[in-house]
Amino acid sequence: MLRSRWPKLADLMDESEHDVLAYMAFPRQHRTKLHSTNPIERLNKEVK
């Protein structure tokens, strides 16, 4: 869909598909922890 209008973007998305979907190799119960920023926010709060 993007290829005709933005060919470089389409190529970049094709090349990065494996990296973007790498989290799917982890067990389901771990996936929710991977995208959460709560641990980082908590650490930053404790540091302040």
Side-chain angles (χ1 to χ4, degrees), residues 9-39:
L9 176 60
D11 291 340
L12 177 66
M13 290 178 70
D14 288 341
E15 292 171 13
S16 62
E17 179 180 10
H18 178 72
D19 295 331
V20 171
L21 298 177
Y23 77 98
M24 296 296 286
F26 288 95
R28 182 177 293 278
Q29 63 269 24
H30 294 197
R31 290 183 207 160
T32 57
K33 305 283 189 229
L34 293 173
H35 65 81
S36 175
T37 60
N38 289 341

